Amino acid sequence: MSDLNTPSGIVASLQRGQLFSAACPSRDVLKHITSRWGVLVLVALSTGTHRFSDLRRKIDGVSERMLAQTLDWLEGDGFVARRAYPVVPPHVEYSLTPMGREVADRVAGLVDWIEENLGRVLHQHHDTGVAPADQPVE
Amino acid sequence: MSDLNTPSGIVASLQRGQLFSAACPSRDVLKHITSRWGVLVLVALSTGTHRFSDLRRKIDGVSERMLAQTLDWLEGDGFVARRAYPVVPPHVEYSLTPMGREVADRVAGLVDWIEENLGRVLHQHHDTGVAPADQPVE
DNA sequence: GGAAGTACATACAGAAATGTTAGTATGAAG
DNA sequence: CTTCATACTAACATTTCTGTATGTACTTCC
């Protein structure tokens, strides 16, 4: 009886201890997903297949290099599927894998919350009293 | 931006365009939440109030500096509440604010997914086999 | 013939994040 | 009296991240 695999909370609570451990591989996966562009790519692909240049245009601010690398990470983790057509001007399509969709849904949930509550959050910054602290700007 | 608050999808889709814009402030909030330690702090605080050193011991790998800074960001965004007791050896307690709990729940959802599916993800890395040159496709 | 467009890879560089070390206040413990 | 513990901050070093510039293959358009 390998009951270490109960899909409910047992595994979750056990495994969670893992994330808190520096060496746990889940930290790498988390890093890819929560990376600056990873989140945006997942959300962008939530609406369907996109070509490389479409993503680049949609995600304001990404450089080709970063987009390529992010897609590479996500593909390596099995969240994104890459499909290349051997045509003259390169044509490549990216889409979410079933697993990627599961992740993207959760990421989108977080992103949606932020956007819907941005007002409340920003308001906080005002009555936080002060603390210009040491972080210049971003 | 006061009556743009319809709770359903309208705001989400409109606002979402914001996240895709480089200058949107939501990117900063997202950065704090998805920062390397931000995720871990939120998850750690999900189980209740913690003192600074408790968090430090629980989150393997954080340095005091980073923990302090992360808590500062999260406090500034209104996700974490800080309570200091003016006692001899400093005593400070951190906990989630109502707003922080909402965010933490979503973050925890993502983290849980990762931990529960880590096996599948790691497996991916193996058969990511090198693409044999050209992809005929279709 | 020359320019343009696509989906990248590679090299180098500047920016940003993170870590390390040292230090502060104060009371308790040894 | 010395050491320890807490919750930090400031200064400095380092690692990591991200961007820019450049190049490639090949075809279509002018």
Side-chain angles (χ1 to χ4, degrees), chain B residues 21-39:
Chain B
S21 303
C24 185
S26 58
R27 283 209 183 169
D28 292 318
V29 178
L30 183 67
K31 187 183 292 183
H32 296 160
I33 296 172
T34 63
S35 68
R36 181 166 180 193
W37 308 113
V39 175

Side-chain angles (χ1 to χ4, degrees), chain B residues 51 53 64-65 82 90-92 94:
Chain B
R51 294 184 58 172
S53 50
E64 294 192 352
R65 180 162 134 48
R82 192 188 105 109
H91 182 113
V92 181
Y94 291 93

Side-chain angles (χ1 to χ4, degrees), chain A residues 44-52 54-55 58 92-95:
Chain A
L45 291 181
S46 287
T47 67
T49 299
H50 283 67
R51 291 185 58 172
F52 184 86
D54 287 336
L55 286 172
K58 186 167 188 174
V92 182
E93 295 181 347
Y94 291 94
S95 57

Side-chain angles (χ1 to χ4, degrees), chain B residues 1-22:
Chain B
M1 299 179 193
S2 43
D3 55 346
L4 299 172
N5 262 334
T6 12
S8 53
I10 302 177
V11 171
S13 54
L14 278 177
Q15 295 283 64
R16 171 159 298 173
Q18 299 293 75
L19 221 199
F20 284 125
S21 303

Side-chain angles (χ1 to χ4, degrees), chain B residues 36-37 52 55-56 59-71:
Chain B
R36 181 166 180 193
W37 308 113
F52 184 85
L55 286 172
R56 184 154 154 53
I59 302 172
D60 189 29
V62 228
S63 60
E64 294 192 352
R65 180 162 134 48
M66 276 302 107
L67 180 56
Q69 179 155 73
T70 300
L71 285 167

Side-chain angles (χ1 to χ4, degrees), chain A residues 69-84:
Chain A
Q69 179 156 73
T70 300
L71 284 167
D72 211 51
W73 286 335
L74 264 21
E75 196 197 339
D77 289 338
F79 301 138
V80 167
R82 193 188 105 108
R83 200 169 208 179

